[in-house]
Amino acid sequence: MESGSWHVEKRSSLRNDSFTGEDNVPETGCLSIVVLGASGDLAKKKTFPALFHLFVQGFLQSNEVHIFGYARSKISDDDLRNRLRGYLVQGKTTDSEQLEEVSKFLQLIKYVSGSYDSAEGFQKLDKEISEHEISRNSIEGSSRRLFYFALPPSVYPSVCKMIKHYCMNKSDLGGWTRIVVEKPFGKDLASAEKLSSQIGELFDEPQIYRIDHYLGKELVQNLLVLRFANRFFLPLWNRDNIANVQIVFREDFGTDGRGGYFDEYGIIRDIIQNHLLQVLCLVAMEKPISLKPEHIRDEKVKVLQSVLPIKDEEVVLGQYEGYRDDPTVPDHSNTPTFATMVLRIHNERWEGVPFIMKAGKALSSRKAEIRVQFKDVPGDIFRCKKQGRNEFVIRLQPSEAMYMKLTVKKPGLEMSTVQSELDLSYRQRYQGVTIPEAYERLILDTIRGDQQHFVRRDELKAAWEIFTPLLHRIDNGELKSIPYKQGSRGPAEADELLEKAGYVQTHGYIWIPPTL
């Protein structure tokens, strides 16, 4: 949590304001959260800290929840707790209340050691969970069991089998068993469908939560409200007014020791096919008939099914100089660390509007944003085109903000124009409000049974159908990655592609986040 934001208002018990989702049955039994892969980086850096923040805010109550860590490492309960402690406390804090909360949270964690394909380990895990449920006087079948896969996808099928055979609720009295699986969901359409089938044979779709943490980001969650709760956006949000849309992800560092893992996937599989495509769906979808998860996900699938095949001439790939110096990366790797591409949506609202997807590592800055550029003003009497077009920008990270770039009169006696902005910067507008981490929000959604911000199976299939042909051409060496310098904007060819797609660069204007 951010400094100064430790003292938070405690929420009421989770069970008072949430439902199982499937049948709107109020939750009754105790809650067991199992973090599989508990000793790994993802669990330590994201999953356990998110659970801790939910605990601090009162969403997880110590009298109804217990957390189990499961992994192959032969360690004790205290060993795991000590490993996690440093990830829950920011710096060397002396705040006694914070340290007390950390200690209370760590006491909720129990560790079970076992392999991911052995009956013995999962039988032992089930025994520990059942003992916790009995100690809480939970009626058999009324308890809730959430399994979080902080694991590589290669072990998903075996872990799912073990859970299905040994760790499910014994009957159904309002309780449930749910699984949360992390990306990557396969490497192409065939592998994703195979993985979906293996999991789908064991669990029903309402039990499966495919997590994409971008859908938990505050500004991404705001997209539906912005689009459908504001009258002035409704008539503008179409091909008649919008020239192009950019969805951008930039990092100012390279693979940093993850070269071997990254080389198997590349920037398109790692970022564009999932995170940025999910954002595109929310920008481009039609208004759902309600906020029910299935109605929202239906509209997202329609967008994906309307995307035309990607043309090779509308793709620029790059690889930063020095990437292959990593000993875990093959000497002749063609894996892109940068990609810019144009997606085109073939429907009434978006025909002819390029959606430019851009992602890269080792670039000049770190940011993620959505940039909606509007068409030129017809009959421009001020002759201010050279200053740039109107743009609506949603900054996802860092410094969450949304601002509208517009042309105004420059102060003074002369009638001259300049670009400025209408700005909503979260840090300034919402002082003292802690924006929750994406994982906090999404884990809470899984407990509540709300699948709105998770990827449905047909949605996943439609996403892979868009990118698989392109990825196979890259894997076969038909499209080459262009070298670019670390700390640059990426290959110059990417800027040329943006220009061809109709994006007009603004010169002489820089948005500066307001300071308090």
Side-chain angles (χ1 to χ4, degrees), residues 255-444:
T255 51
D256 287 359
R258 292 175 65 245
Y261 165 83
F262 182 85
D263 201 71
E264 286 185 50
Y265 294 94
I267 198 74
I268 297 174
R269 289 184 176 97
D270 197 38
I271 301 295
I272 296 178
Q273 185 273 339
N274 39 73
H275 298 333
L276 301 195
L277 194 64
Q278 286 294 322
V279 173
L280 178 144
C281 288
L282 295 173
V283 171
M285 64 186 268
E286 297 298 320
K287 184 190 286 188
I289 59 174
S290 81
L291 289 176
K292 288 182 178 177
E294 292 315 302
H295 293 157
I296 291 171
R297 299 201 294 181
D298 286 346
E299 296 302 332
K300 288 167 66 182
V301 171
K302 288 179 189 175
V303 171
L304 295 174
Q305 291 173 339
S306 301
V307 174
L308 295 171
I310 302 169
K311 297 177 181 176
D312 290 355
E313 61 268 25
E314 293 193 318
V315 177
V316 172
L317 307 176
Q319 187 184 91
Y320 68 83
E321 295 173 359
Y323 169 72
R324 297 182 202 169
D325 294 344
D326 185 325
T328 61
V329 173
D331 292 340
H332 302 290
S333 170
N334 184 46
T335 300
T337 61
F338 173 99
T340 294
M341 63 186 65
V342 178
L343 269 59
R344 298 185 181 273
I345 300 172
H346 181 56
N347 65 16
E348 185 178 0
R349 182 180 294 272
W350 297 114
E351 186 74 42
V353 178
F355 281 75
I356 301 161
M357 315 284 271
K358 185 175 182 179
K361 290 182 171 291
L363 297 173
S364 56
S365 61
R366 171 182 172 261
K367 68 178 178 181
E369 67 182 19
I370 305 158
R371 187 172 291 269
V372 180
Q373 186 171 89
F374 291 89
K375 292 183 175 181
D376 292 323
V377 174
D380 176 19
I381 60 174
F382 295 102
R383 306 188 189 285
C384 52
K385 281 186 183 178
K386 64 179 184 297
Q387 290 173 345
R389 290 169 162 172
N390 293 151
E391 290 183 356
F392 180 47
V393 183
I394 302 170
R395 172 72 68 101
L396 306 180
Q397 66 181 34
S399 304
E400 292 93 344
M402 57 185 80
Y403 59 95
M404 178 73 83
K405 283 172 56 178
L406 70 170
T407 302
V408 297
K409 178 186 175 297
K410 188 176 182 179
L413 295 174
E414 298 295 326
M415 177 53 78
S416 58
T417 59
V418 67
Q419 276 218 322
S420 188
E421 73 278 329
L422 297 174
D423 193 337
L424 168 58
S425 290
Y426 273 52
R427 195 174 298 169
Q428 185 180 51
R429 178 66 179 83
Y430 302 113
Q431 294 179 36
V433 175
T434 301
I435 295 176
E437 285 288 327
Y439 279 96
E440 291 175 49
R441 192 190 312 272
L442 294 176
I443 289 173
L444 186 58

Side-chain angles (χ1 to χ4, degrees), residues 135-206:
S135 74
R136 292 288 185 269
N137 297 317
S138 226
I139 300 168
E140 188 176 42
S142 70
S143 61
R144 298 165 284 156
R145 297 185 177 189
L146 178 66
F147 293 87
Y148 193 107
F149 289 40
L151 296 165
S154 57
V155 299
Y156 287 178
S158 61
V159 171
C160 285
K161 282 179 187 172
M162 293 299 112
I163 293 171
K164 183 68 175 180
H165 290 147
Y166 302 109
C167 296
M168 301 288 285
N169 281 339
K170 305 301 183 291
S171 62
D172 184 13
L173 295 172
W176 45 254
T177 302
R178 295 177 186 146
I179 63 169
V180 183
V181 294
E182 282 269 358
K183 76 168 189 76
F185 313 117
K187 291 183 71 173
D188 57 12
L189 178 60
S191 58
E193 278 292 278
K194 181 180 178 183
L195 189 59
S196 290
S197 296
Q198 289 171 324
I199 297 174
E201 287 170 3
L202 300 164
F203 294 95
D204 297 329
E205 188 65 24

